[in-house]
Amino acid sequence: MIAPGWVKGPVSRLTPGIRARPGLFFLSLLFFSACGETAPDPWDPPDSALIRTLGLDSTRRVHRITLGGAGADEHVVPTRIRILPGDLVQFVTVDHRVHRVVFGAEALTPESSTFLRETGQDASPPLLERGSRFVVFFEKAPSGLYPFVSHGSGGSASGIIEVLQ
């Protein structure tokens, strides 16, 4: 089984965060967010670094949520995504601020809270540098809503992951 967690630095070994390459994908998500819309289906095939580091299959669905902020504002883009059981969600920092992602047990169903807690995915460690990633594996996750909060240097922002049946 692939362990959930975060990876960083040289991708030849599993350590905290992988360097992200934010680009046009991030800009399109920012556009959808600014217009008050949820991106239709923000997933890509896993990049080669993620495949090598986590031993993933290249057909695995990986959704991306970017974390960033300015001043007292914290942003998550998109703020809501829908995924299938077995999909992965990677939270990627796109600035030089510290971010931490937390799934609050009080906002989850008991089954969802138990799933995240037992798989060690209920909160990320501090994501300290640009490009750090926190990857959440929704393998055998109960369907439903998974609200989360991103706490950053300047504030916090929230979002929802919906696991469909």
Side-chain angles (χ1 to χ4, degrees):
M1 177 178 179
I2 299 171
W6 48 290
V7 288
K8 169 186 146 186
V11 294
S12 60
R13 59 191 169 95
L14 187 59
T15 58
I18 291 177
R19 297 259 179 222
R21 287 179 233 124
L24 185 58
F25 182 74
F26 171 71
L27 293 176
S28 66
L29 289 179
L30 187 58
F31 172 76
F32 282 113
S33 177
C35 295
E37 306 256 343
T38 300
D41 192 3
W43 72 272
D44 337 282
D47 62 38
S48 60
L50 197 60
I51 290 170
R52 279 192 316 274
T53 303
L54 299 178
L56 299 176
D57 178 315
S58 64
T59 61
R60 187 79 121 164
R61 287 175 44 114
V62 179
H63 303 261
R64 181 176 304 174
I65 296 175
T66 59
L67 310 173
D73 294 328
E74 177 77 3
H75 305 283
V76 296
V77 178
T79 57
R80 184 179 183 112
I81 61 173
R82 292 182 178 103
I83 68 170
L84 298 173
D87 288 358
L88 287 80
V89 174
Q90 65 177 333
F91 294 89
V92 182
T93 63
V94 295
D95 61 13
H96 295 285
R97 300 165 63 139
V98 175
H99 301 275
R100 185 162 188 261
V101 176
V102 177
F103 291 92
E106 66 283 346
L108 297 165
T109 65
E111 297 80 17
S112 299
S113 179
T114 299
F115 167 76
L116 289 170
R117 189 180 61 257
E118 288 181 354
T119 58
Q121 303 181 110
D122 52 342
S124 75
L127 303 172
L128 302 175
E129 59 187 64
R130 183 180 183 159
S132 296
R133 297 178 182 190
F134 174 57
V135 179
V136 180
F137 295 80
F138 285 89
E139 191 74 38
K140 299 182 183 175
S143 61
L145 301 178
Y146 289 74
F148 65 89
V149 176
S150 173
H151 299 286
S153 300
S156 50
S158 59
I160 296 175
I161 298 168
E162 182 178 2
V163 178
L164 304 172
Q165 288 188 337

